[in-house]
Amino acid sequence: MKILFLGGTGIISSACSNLAISKEFDLYLLNRGSSQSLRPAPKEATIIEADIRNKHTVLEAIGDLTFDVVVDWLSFNEAQIAQSIEIFENRTKQYIFISSASVYQTPPKSLPVTENTPVINPYWQYAQDKIACERLIERKAEKSNANFTIVRPSHTYDATRVPITGNYTSVARMMTGKPAIVVGDGTSVWTLTNHRDFAIGITGLFLNPKAYNEIFHITSDELLTWNNIVEIVAEAFEVEPIIKQVPVNLISKFDTEFGAGMLGDKMHSMIFDNSKIKAAVPEFNCSVSFSQGAKEMANWHKENQTLVDYRKDFDLLSDQLVAELSKIGL
């Protein structure tokens, strides 16, 4: 099977690249090579160096190549996906667009979330742009020879990035006795998915007739509160868990974009019904617990100190938020 990833070395896509190679797929990666230091591409993959935003250079780089499946990890708005579809829809049997579970109704009126849950997120521009991409695909699917599939990951992680607010910066804060920030009261229920588990689901959709012109989310069934998540991360990094719950309206007061991301994605409980992906891909099963994943993060960060994602600006913002809470007695 001949597969093209637009991207292929990101947090989610890197595991998919490795699994595709292990399945002996003929894998091509089209990217600029910017993530190679963190997540190197498999040596068996064919690298096509081009900037997906530059149509001319992409066409020049791919020549007359065609593919069984094209997976688009890099389109984040309607203009970007329109160009990518224009380039690839006549070069592939199946075009898979990586959307986001943040497109679902926020907060959801009922749980668990299914693929039929309304798609509406008025709080976060990222989600609204992904919705626009999905709408364009739906219009294209009506008159294209290609088969389209939409995949909606939720919060998917690998060892290189700690999936809590502030990422590794919050771990570094706890190491120095400062609190990690949790939005709201920390009791909302969240779903974290290891990228290796996600890879099993999406590769099972390649040239799968059950996936043609369908939508799937691919998530774990493990449910944790944000307080639980920070505690598990702290245990893995062998630090004392120190947590400060911060109202989202206070976050928005200091950082509008950050607040919108929390309100539009991570503040409300999100529990997913995975029966659709399990029916289409029977081998899909999330076997990596978050406790195991957190230990892998801790080991990676200890061994790769020069690559850790410490953000001084977030550290300072957290200090501001804690100080503001202290003023009002919280």
mmCIF file of all heavy atoms in Angstrom, residues 71-116:
data_model
loop_
_atom_site.group_PDB
_atom_site.id
_atom_site.type_symbol
_atom_site.label_atom_id
_atom_site.label_comp_id
_atom_site.label_asym_id
_atom_site.label_seq_id
_atom_site.Cartn_x
_atom_site.Cartn_y
_atom_site.Cartn_z
ATOM 1 N N VAL A 71 -2.808 11.230 3.801
ATOM 2 C CA VAL A 71 -3.256 11.670 5.125
ATOM 3 C C VAL A 71 -2.774 13.092 5.347
ATOM 4 O O VAL A 71 -1.576 13.366 5.333
ATOM 5 C CB VAL A 71 -2.736 10.759 6.253
ATOM 6 C CG1 VAL A 71 -3.304 11.208 7.603
ATOM 7 C CG2 VAL A 71 -3.098 9.304 5.982
ATOM 8 N N ASP A 72 -3.719 13.993 5.552
ATOM 9 C CA ASP A 72 -3.426 15.420 5.684
ATOM 10 C C ASP A 72 -3.395 15.809 7.163
ATOM 11 O O ASP A 72 -4.422 16.018 7.789
ATOM 12 C CB ASP A 72 -4.500 16.227 4.940
ATOM 13 C CG ASP A 72 -4.263 17.719 4.980
ATOM 14 O OD1 ASP A 72 -3.324 18.154 5.673
ATOM 15 O OD2 ASP A 72 -5.025 18.455 4.320
ATOM 16 N N TRP A 73 -2.168 15.919 7.703
ATOM 17 C CA TRP A 73 -1.974 16.328 9.087
ATOM 18 C C TRP A 73 -1.779 17.844 9.206
ATOM 19 O O TRP A 73 -1.662 18.365 10.314
ATOM 20 C CB TRP A 73 -0.718 15.663 9.663
ATOM 21 C CG TRP A 73 -0.708 14.181 9.620
ATOM 22 C CD1 TRP A 73 -0.211 13.385 8.627
ATOM 23 C CD2 TRP A 73 -1.205 13.275 10.614
ATOM 24 N NE1 TRP A 73 -0.364 12.053 8.938
ATOM 25 C CE2 TRP A 73 -0.966 11.958 10.151
ATOM 26 C CE3 TRP A 73 -1.812 13.458 11.850
ATOM 27 C CZ2 TRP A 73 -1.329 10.828 10.887
ATOM 28 C CZ3 TRP A 73 -2.158 12.335 12.586
ATOM 29 C CH2 TRP A 73 -1.924 11.036 12.108
ATOM 30 N N LEU A 74 -1.713 18.553 8.087
ATOM 31 C CA LEU A 74 -1.203 19.924 8.095
ATOM 32 C C LEU A 74 -2.202 21.006 7.717
ATOM 33 O O LEU A 74 -1.833 22.176 7.655
ATOM 34 C CB LEU A 74 0.014 20.025 7.157
ATOM 35 C CG LEU A 74 1.227 19.155 7.513
ATOM 36 C CD1 LEU A 74 2.324 19.344 6.476
ATOM 37 C CD2 LEU A 74 1.746 19.501 8.904
ATOM 38 N N SER A 75 -3.448 20.668 7.444
ATOM 39 C CA SER A 75 -4.429 21.704 7.085
ATOM 40 C C SER A 75 -5.175 22.165 8.333
ATOM 41 O O SER A 75 -5.793 21.367 9.042
ATOM 42 C CB SER A 75 -5.428 21.163 6.052
ATOM 43 O OG SER A 75 -4.796 21.005 4.798
ATOM 44 N N PHE A 76 -5.140 23.480 8.558
ATOM 45 C CA PHE A 76 -5.749 24.041 9.757
ATOM 46 C C PHE A 76 -6.818 25.090 9.459
ATOM 47 O O PHE A 76 -7.449 25.605 10.374
ATOM 48 C CB PHE A 76 -4.668 24.644 10.660
ATOM 49 C CG PHE A 76 -3.664 23.629 11.124
ATOM 50 C CD1 PHE A 76 -2.449 23.484 10.475
ATOM 51 C CD2 PHE A 76 -3.950 22.795 12.190
ATOM 52 C CE1 PHE A 76 -1.527 22.534 10.890
ATOM 53 C CE2 PHE A 76 -3.027 21.841 12.609
ATOM 54 C CZ PHE A 76 -1.817 21.704 11.952
ATOM 55 N N ASN A 77 -7.016 25.405 8.185
ATOM 56 C CA ASN A 77 -8.107 26.307 7.820
ATOM 57 C C ASN A 77 -8.597 25.963 6.426
ATOM 58 O O ASN A 77 -8.004 25.128 5.721
ATOM 59 C CB ASN A 77 -7.686 27.778 7.933
ATOM 60 C CG ASN A 77 -6.529 28.133 7.018
ATOM 61 O OD1 ASN A 77 -6.526 27.803 5.833
ATOM 62 N ND2 ASN A 77 -5.525 28.834 7.561
ATOM 63 N N GLU A 78 -9.672 26.592 6.018
ATOM 64 C CA GLU A 78 -10.337 26.229 4.763
ATOM 65 C C GLU A 78 -9.457 26.463 3.550
ATOM 66 O O GLU A 78 -9.437 25.652 2.615
ATOM 67 C CB GLU A 78 -11.642 27.011 4.637
ATOM 68 C CG GLU A 78 -12.507 26.570 3.457
ATOM 69 C CD GLU A 78 -13.866 27.250 3.453
ATOM 70 O OE1 GLU A 78 -14.148 28.023 4.401
ATOM 71 O OE2 GLU A 78 -14.642 26.987 2.533
ATOM 72 N N ALA A 79 -8.701 27.550 3.529
ATOM 73 C CA ALA A 79 -7.831 27.839 2.382
ATOM 74 C C ALA A 79 -6.748 26.785 2.242
ATOM 75 O O ALA A 79 -6.426 26.345 1.129
ATOM 76 C CB ALA A 79 -7.212 29.225 2.534
ATOM 77 N N GLN A 80 -6.182 26.351 3.366
ATOM 78 C CA GLN A 80 -5.122 25.346 3.318
ATOM 79 C C GLN A 80 -5.634 24.011 2.803
ATOM 80 O O GLN A 80 -5.009 23.389 1.930
ATOM 81 C CB GLN A 80 -4.510 25.183 4.714
ATOM 82 C CG GLN A 80 -3.717 26.393 5.165
ATOM 83 C CD GLN A 80 -3.283 26.307 6.613
ATOM 84 O OE1 GLN A 80 -3.601 25.339 7.328
ATOM 85 N NE2 GLN A 80 -2.550 27.305 7.083
ATOM 86 N N ILE A 81 -6.782 23.563 3.301
ATOM 87 C CA ILE A 81 -7.267 22.261 2.852
ATOM 88 C C ILE A 81 -7.769 22.320 1.413
ATOM 89 O O ILE A 81 -7.648 21.357 0.660
ATOM 90 C CB ILE A 81 -8.334 21.685 3.799
ATOM 91 C CG1 ILE A 81 -8.489 20.187 3.512
ATOM 92 C CG2 ILE A 81 -9.666 22.423 3.677
ATOM 93 C CD1 ILE A 81 -9.295 19.444 4.530
ATOM 94 N N ALA A 82 -8.294 23.465 1.009
ATOM 95 C CA ALA A 82 -8.747 23.601 -0.376
ATOM 96 C C ALA A 82 -7.580 23.400 -1.329
ATOM 97 O O ALA A 82 -7.706 22.708 -2.352
ATOM 98 C CB ALA A 82 -9.380 24.978 -0.587
ATOM 99 N N GLN A 83 -6.441 23.973 -0.998
ATOM 100 C CA GLN A 83 -5.266 23.812 -1.855
ATOM 101 C C GLN A 83 -4.754 22.375 -1.841
ATOM 102 O O GLN A 83 -4.424 21.808 -2.888
ATOM 103 C CB GLN A 83 -4.141 24.751 -1.412
ATOM 104 C CG GLN A 83 -2.866 24.577 -2.242
ATOM 105 C CD GLN A 83 -1.840 25.636 -1.913
ATOM 106 O OE1 GLN A 83 -1.955 26.780 -2.336
ATOM 107 N NE2 GLN A 83 -0.813 25.255 -1.153
ATOM 108 N N SER A 84 -4.709 21.753 -0.667
ATOM 109 C CA SER A 84 -4.225 20.380 -0.566
ATOM 110 C C SER A 84 -5.122 19.407 -1.328
ATOM 111 O O SER A 84 -4.641 18.498 -2.016
ATOM 112 C CB SER A 84 -4.108 19.958 0.900
ATOM 113 O OG SER A 84 -3.111 20.714 1.549
ATOM 114 N N ILE A 85 -6.429 19.583 -1.211
ATOM 115 C CA ILE A 85 -7.347 18.718 -1.951
ATOM 116 C C ILE A 85 -7.182 18.928 -3.459
ATOM 117 O O ILE A 85 -7.186 17.962 -4.235
ATOM 118 C CB ILE A 85 -8.802 18.974 -1.512
ATOM 119 C CG1 ILE A 85 -9.013 18.451 -0.087
ATOM 120 C CG2 ILE A 85 -9.793 18.301 -2.470
ATOM 121 C CD1 ILE A 85 -10.379 18.760 0.484
ATOM 122 N N GLU A 86 -7.021 20.168 -3.858
ATOM 123 C CA GLU A 86 -6.824 20.451 -5.281
ATOM 124 C C GLU A 86 -5.602 19.707 -5.825
ATOM 125 O O GLU A 86 -5.624 19.176 -6.935
ATOM 126 C CB GLU A 86 -6.644 21.957 -5.483
ATOM 127 C CG GLU A 86 -6.458 22.355 -6.942
ATOM 128 C CD GLU A 86 -6.224 23.848 -7.111
ATOM 129 O OE1 GLU A 86 -6.325 24.600 -6.120
ATOM 130 O OE2 GLU A 86 -5.914 24.266 -8.250
ATOM 131 N N ILE A 87 -4.550 19.636 -5.021
ATOM 132 C CA ILE A 87 -3.323 18.960 -5.457
ATOM 133 C C ILE A 87 -3.492 17.449 -5.477
ATOM 134 O O ILE A 87 -3.040 16.780 -6.408
ATOM 135 C CB ILE A 87 -2.141 19.346 -4.536
ATOM 136 C CG1 ILE A 87 -1.816 20.833 -4.672
ATOM 137 C CG2 ILE A 87 -0.906 18.507 -4.877
ATOM 138 C CD1 ILE A 87 -0.820 21.338 -3.637
ATOM 139 N N PHE A 88 -4.154 16.883 -4.457
ATOM 140 C CA PHE A 88 -4.065 15.442 -4.241
ATOM 141 C C PHE A 88 -5.334 14.634 -4.535
ATOM 142 O O PHE A 88 -5.256 13.406 -4.610
ATOM 143 C CB PHE A 88 -3.636 15.165 -2.788
ATOM 144 C CG PHE A 88 -2.228 15.594 -2.501
ATOM 145 C CD1 PHE A 88 -1.981 16.726 -1.738
ATOM 146 C CD2 PHE A 88 -1.155 14.880 -3.005
ATOM 147 C CE1 PHE A 88 -0.685 17.132 -1.467
ATOM 148 C CE2 PHE A 88 0.142 15.274 -2.752
ATOM 149 C CZ PHE A 88 0.386 16.406 -1.978
ATOM 150 N N GLU A 89 -6.502 15.250 -4.715
ATOM 151 C CA GLU A 89 -7.706 14.431 -4.824
ATOM 152 C C GLU A 89 -7.706 13.528 -6.049
ATOM 153 O O GLU A 89 -8.326 12.460 -6.038
ATOM 154 C CB GLU A 89 -8.959 15.304 -4.805
ATOM 155 C CG GLU A 89 -9.181 16.171 -6.016
ATOM 156 C CD GLU A 89 -10.529 16.879 -5.947
ATOM 157 O OE1 GLU A 89 -11.503 16.274 -5.470
ATOM 158 O OE2 GLU A 89 -10.601 18.047 -6.374
ATOM 159 N N ASN A 90 -6.998 13.907 -7.110
ATOM 160 C CA ASN A 90 -6.919 13.054 -8.296
ATOM 161 C C ASN A 90 -5.665 12.189 -8.311
ATOM 162 O O ASN A 90 -5.369 11.533 -9.307
ATOM 163 C CB ASN A 90 -6.968 13.919 -9.555
ATOM 164 C CG ASN A 90 -8.306 14.611 -9.720
ATOM 165 O OD1 ASN A 90 -9.350 14.010 -9.477
ATOM 166 N ND2 ASN A 90 -8.292 15.880 -10.107
ATOM 167 N N ARG A 91 -4.936 12.192 -7.188
ATOM 168 C CA ARG A 91 -3.723 11.374 -7.076
ATOM 169 C C ARG A 91 -3.874 10.279 -6.022
ATOM 170 O O ARG A 91 -2.899 9.616 -5.683
ATOM 171 C CB ARG A 91 -2.531 12.255 -6.686
ATOM 172 C CG ARG A 91 -2.119 13.284 -7.736
ATOM 173 C CD ARG A 91 -1.072 14.224 -7.152
ATOM 174 N NE ARG A 91 -0.616 15.208 -8.119
ATOM 175 C CZ ARG A 91 0.466 15.090 -8.867
ATOM 176 N NH1 ARG A 91 1.203 13.983 -8.773
ATOM 177 N NH2 ARG A 91 0.825 16.030 -9.715
ATOM 178 N N THR A 92 -5.088 10.123 -5.462
ATOM 179 C CA THR A 92 -5.257 9.159 -4.382
ATOM 180 C C THR A 92 -6.640 8.529 -4.426
ATOM 181 O O THR A 92 -7.599 9.120 -4.938
ATOM 182 C CB THR A 92 -5.039 9.838 -3.013
ATOM 183 O OG1 THR A 92 -5.048 8.839 -1.994
ATOM 184 C CG2 THR A 92 -6.123 10.873 -2.718
ATOM 185 N N LYS A 93 -6.744 7.330 -3.850
ATOM 186 C CA LYS A 93 -8.030 6.656 -3.717
ATOM 187 C C LYS A 93 -8.771 7.121 -2.458
ATOM 188 O O LYS A 93 -9.999 7.103 -2.415
ATOM 189 C CB LYS A 93 -7.816 5.141 -3.650
ATOM 190 C CG LYS A 93 -7.150 4.552 -4.892
ATOM 191 C CD LYS A 93 -6.776 3.093 -4.669
ATOM 192 C CE LYS A 93 -5.997 2.542 -5.853
ATOM 193 N NZ LYS A 93 -5.492 1.168 -5.587
ATOM 194 N N GLN A 94 -7.987 7.507 -1.433
ATOM 195 C CA GLN A 94 -8.587 7.913 -0.161
ATOM 196 C C GLN A 94 -7.817 9.100 0.405
ATOM 197 O O GLN A 94 -6.589 9.059 0.517
ATOM 198 C CB GLN A 94 -8.564 6.757 0.845
ATOM 199 C CG GLN A 94 -9.236 7.065 2.180
ATOM 200 C CD GLN A 94 -9.070 5.928 3.183
ATOM 201 O OE1 GLN A 94 -8.191 5.076 3.034
ATOM 202 N NE2 GLN A 94 -9.915 5.899 4.203
ATOM 203 N N TYR A 95 -8.564 10.151 0.768
ATOM 204 C CA TYR A 95 -7.971 11.346 1.370
ATOM 205 C C TYR A 95 -8.470 11.428 2.802
ATOM 206 O O TYR A 95 -9.672 11.529 3.052
ATOM 207 C CB TYR A 95 -8.391 12.590 0.585
ATOM 208 C CG TYR A 95 -7.708 13.873 0.986
ATOM 209 C CD1 TYR A 95 -6.657 14.398 0.240
ATOM 210 C CD2 TYR A 95 -8.124 14.590 2.106
ATOM 211 C CE1 TYR A 95 -6.041 15.584 0.597
ATOM 212 C CE2 TYR A 95 -7.516 15.771 2.475
ATOM 213 C CZ TYR A 95 -6.472 16.270 1.714
ATOM 214 O OH TYR A 95 -5.859 17.451 2.072
ATOM 215 N N ILE A 96 -7.541 11.352 3.760
ATOM 216 C CA ILE A 96 -7.897 11.384 5.174
ATOM 217 C C ILE A 96 -7.486 12.728 5.757
ATOM 218 O O ILE A 96 -6.306 13.099 5.719
ATOM 219 C CB ILE A 96 -7.227 10.237 5.950
ATOM 220 C CG1 ILE A 96 -7.663 8.881 5.386
ATOM 221 C CG2 ILE A 96 -7.550 10.330 7.438
ATOM 222 C CD1 ILE A 96 -7.027 7.685 6.075
ATOM 223 N N PHE A 97 -8.458 13.442 6.292
ATOM 224 C CA PHE A 97 -8.198 14.743 6.903
ATOM 225 C C PHE A 97 -8.188 14.599 8.415
ATOM 226 O O PHE A 97 -9.124 14.058 9.008
ATOM 227 C CB PHE A 97 -9.265 15.757 6.491
ATOM 228 C CG PHE A 97 -9.236 17.032 7.291
ATOM 229 C CD1 PHE A 97 -8.103 17.835 7.314
ATOM 230 C CD2 PHE A 97 -10.338 17.426 8.047
ATOM 231 C CE1 PHE A 97 -8.068 18.998 8.068
ATOM 232 C CE2 PHE A 97 -10.318 18.590 8.790
ATOM 233 C CZ PHE A 97 -9.174 19.383 8.803
ATOM 234 N N ILE A 98 -7.122 15.114 9.037
ATOM 235 C CA ILE A 98 -7.034 15.093 10.491
ATOM 236 C C ILE A 98 -7.675 16.359 11.030
ATOM 237 O O ILE A 98 -7.100 17.449 10.956
ATOM 238 C CB ILE A 98 -5.572 14.979 10.970
ATOM 239 C CG1 ILE A 98 -4.900 13.759 10.319
ATOM 240 C CG2 ILE A 98 -5.531 14.868 12.488
ATOM 241 C CD1 ILE A 98 -5.583 12.432 10.594
ATOM 242 N N SER A 99 -8.854 16.201 11.563
ATOM 243 C CA SER A 99 -9.591 17.318 12.156
ATOM 244 C C SER A 99 -9.284 17.365 13.648
ATOM 245 O O SER A 99 -8.130 17.176 14.054
ATOM 246 C CB SER A 99 -11.092 17.154 11.885
ATOM 247 O OG SER A 99 -11.819 18.249 12.373
ATOM 248 N N SER A 100 -10.273 17.587 14.487
ATOM 249 C CA SER A 100 -10.057 17.682 15.929
ATOM 250 C C SER A 100 -11.365 17.427 16.652
ATOM 251 O O SER A 100 -12.432 17.851 16.203
ATOM 252 C CB SER A 100 -9.538 19.076 16.287
ATOM 253 O OG SER A 100 -9.594 19.291 17.684
ATOM 254 N N ALA A 101 -11.285 16.756 17.800
ATOM 255 C CA ALA A 101 -12.476 16.548 18.618
ATOM 256 C C ALA A 101 -12.952 17.846 19.256
ATOM 257 O O ALA A 101 -14.057 17.893 19.807
ATOM 258 C CB ALA A 101 -12.205 15.498 19.693
ATOM 259 N N SER A 102 -12.156 18.901 19.155
ATOM 260 C CA SER A 102 -12.595 20.200 19.687
ATOM 261 C C SER A 102 -13.728 20.793 18.860
ATOM 262 O O SER A 102 -14.345 21.778 19.278
ATOM 263 C CB SER A 102 -11.425 21.185 19.734
ATOM 264 O OG SER A 102 -10.969 21.514 18.437
ATOM 265 N N VAL A 103 -14.034 20.198 17.700
ATOM 266 C CA VAL A 103 -15.144 20.710 16.888
ATOM 267 C C VAL A 103 -16.499 20.390 17.519
ATOM 268 O O VAL A 103 -17.497 21.037 17.203
ATOM 269 C CB VAL A 103 -15.113 20.151 15.442
ATOM 270 C CG1 VAL A 103 -13.790 20.471 14.770
ATOM 271 C CG2 VAL A 103 -15.409 18.651 15.407
ATOM 272 N N TYR A 104 -16.538 19.414 18.430
ATOM 273 C CA TYR A 104 -17.815 19.006 18.999
ATOM 274 C C TYR A 104 -18.419 20.116 19.868
ATOM 275 O O TYR A 104 -17.706 20.970 20.408
ATOM 276 C CB TYR A 104 -17.645 17.753 19.844
ATOM 277 C CG TYR A 104 -17.410 16.489 19.054
ATOM 278 C CD1 TYR A 104 -16.266 15.718 19.248
ATOM 279 C CD2 TYR A 104 -18.337 16.064 18.106
ATOM 280 C CE1 TYR A 104 -16.058 14.551 18.530
ATOM 281 C CE2 TYR A 104 -18.135 14.902 17.386
ATOM 282 C CZ TYR A 104 -16.993 14.151 17.588
ATOM 283 O OH TYR A 104 -16.791 13.007 16.865
ATOM 284 N N GLN A 105 -19.726 20.055 19.999
ATOM 285 C CA GLN A 105 -20.472 20.998 20.826
ATOM 286 C C GLN A 105 -19.786 21.164 22.191
ATOM 287 O O GLN A 105 -19.466 20.186 22.868
ATOM 288 C CB GLN A 105 -21.881 20.452 21.034
ATOM 289 C CG GLN A 105 -22.808 21.328 21.820
ATOM 290 C CD GLN A 105 -24.158 20.639 21.975
ATOM 291 O OE1 GLN A 105 -24.247 19.516 22.480
ATOM 292 N NE2 GLN A 105 -25.195 21.286 21.503
ATOM 293 N N THR A 106 -19.535 22.435 22.557
ATOM 294 C CA THR A 106 -18.808 22.736 23.778
ATOM 295 C C THR A 106 -19.572 23.750 24.613
ATOM 296 O O THR A 106 -19.793 24.869 24.146
ATOM 297 C CB THR A 106 -17.408 23.301 23.433
ATOM 298 O OG1 THR A 106 -16.728 22.370 22.582
ATOM 299 C CG2 THR A 106 -16.601 23.533 24.691
ATOM 300 N N PRO A 107 -19.991 23.398 25.837
ATOM 301 C CA PRO A 107 -19.931 22.059 26.428
ATOM 302 C C PRO A 107 -20.964 21.143 25.795
ATOM 303 O O PRO A 107 -22.008 21.620 25.335
ATOM 304 C CB PRO A 107 -20.253 22.313 27.894
ATOM 305 C CG PRO A 107 -21.118 23.533 27.879
ATOM 306 C CD PRO A 107 -20.597 24.381 26.758
ATOM 307 N N PRO A 108 -20.702 19.827 25.768
ATOM 308 C CA PRO A 108 -21.684 18.917 25.171
ATOM 309 C C PRO A 108 -22.948 18.828 26.017
ATOM 310 O O PRO A 108 -22.877 18.843 27.245
ATOM 311 C CB PRO A 108 -20.933 17.574 25.143
ATOM 312 C CG PRO A 108 -19.925 17.685 26.236
ATOM 313 C CD PRO A 108 -19.526 19.119 26.288
ATOM 314 N N LYS A 109 -24.088 18.753 25.356
ATOM 315 C CA LYS A 109 -25.352 18.650 26.094
ATOM 316 C C LYS A 109 -25.537 17.275 26.708
ATOM 317 O O LYS A 109 -26.295 17.105 27.668
ATOM 318 C CB LYS A 109 -26.527 18.988 25.169
ATOM 319 C CG LYS A 109 -26.623 20.471 24.841
ATOM 320 C CD LYS A 109 -27.886 20.778 24.056
ATOM 321 C CE LYS A 109 -28.013 22.271 23.773
ATOM 322 N NZ LYS A 109 -29.229 22.596 22.991
ATOM 323 N N SER A 110 -24.864 16.266 26.112
ATOM 324 C CA SER A 110 -24.969 14.921 26.674
ATOM 325 C C SER A 110 -23.659 14.184 26.436
ATOM 326 O O SER A 110 -22.912 14.485 25.505
ATOM 327 C CB SER A 110 -26.128 14.149 26.032
ATOM 328 O OG SER A 110 -25.915 13.986 24.638
ATOM 329 N N LEU A 111 -23.390 13.213 27.298
ATOM 330 C CA LEU A 111 -22.204 12.371 27.213
ATOM 331 C C LEU A 111 -22.644 10.918 27.208
ATOM 332 O O LEU A 111 -23.672 10.582 27.794
ATOM 333 C CB LEU A 111 -21.280 12.638 28.401
ATOM 334 C CG LEU A 111 -20.618 14.029 28.448
ATOM 335 C CD1 LEU A 111 -19.918 14.246 29.790
ATOM 336 C CD2 LEU A 111 -19.638 14.202 27.294
ATOM 337 N N PRO A 112 -21.897 10.020 26.545
ATOM 338 C CA PRO A 112 -20.644 10.284 25.849
ATOM 339 C C PRO A 112 -20.863 10.959 24.492
ATOM 340 O O PRO A 112 -21.951 10.897 23.918
ATOM 341 C CB PRO A 112 -20.049 8.892 25.675
ATOM 342 C CG PRO A 112 -21.238 7.986 25.571
ATOM 343 C CD PRO A 112 -22.252 8.577 26.517
ATOM 344 N N VAL A 113 -19.807 11.567 24.007
ATOM 345 C CA VAL A 113 -19.823 12.193 22.685
ATOM 346 C C VAL A 113 -19.713 11.114 21.622
ATOM 347 O O VAL A 113 -18.887 10.199 21.717
ATOM 348 C CB VAL A 113 -18.650 13.196 22.557
ATOM 349 C CG1 VAL A 113 -18.469 13.656 21.119
ATOM 350 C CG2 VAL A 113 -18.876 14.392 23.473
ATOM 351 N N THR A 114 -20.571 11.196 20.605
ATOM 352 C CA THR A 114 -20.464 10.309 19.443
ATOM 353 C C THR A 114 -20.148 11.158 18.214
ATOM 354 O O THR A 114 -20.157 12.388 18.278
ATOM 355 C CB THR A 114 -21.774 9.547 19.195
ATOM 356 O OG1 THR A 114 -22.741 10.452 18.639
ATOM 357 C CG2 THR A 114 -22.320 8.924 20.473
ATOM 358 N N GLU A 115 -19.911 10.488 17.103
ATOM 359 C CA GLU A 115 -19.628 11.215 15.871
ATOM 360 C C GLU A 115 -20.824 12.031 15.398
ATOM 361 O O GLU A 115 -20.679 12.905 14.536
ATOM 362 C CB GLU A 115 -19.177 10.249 14.777
ATOM 363 C CG GLU A 115 -17.756 9.728 14.925
ATOM 364 C CD GLU A 115 -17.609 8.573 15.897
ATOM 365 O OE1 GLU A 115 -18.610 8.179 16.550
ATOM 366 O OE2 GLU A 115 -16.486 8.049 16.026
ATOM 367 N N ASN A 116 -21.997 11.757 15.949
ATOM 368 C CA ASN A 116 -23.207 12.512 15.600
ATOM 369 C C ASN A 116 -23.488 13.672 16.545
ATOM 370 O O ASN A 116 -24.481 14.389 16.360
ATOM 371 C CB ASN A 116 -24.415 11.569 15.572
ATOM 372 C CG ASN A 116 -24.333 10.564 14.436
ATOM 373 O OD1 ASN A 116 -23.877 10.898 13.344
ATOM 374 N ND2 ASN A 116 -24.730 9.338 14.698
#
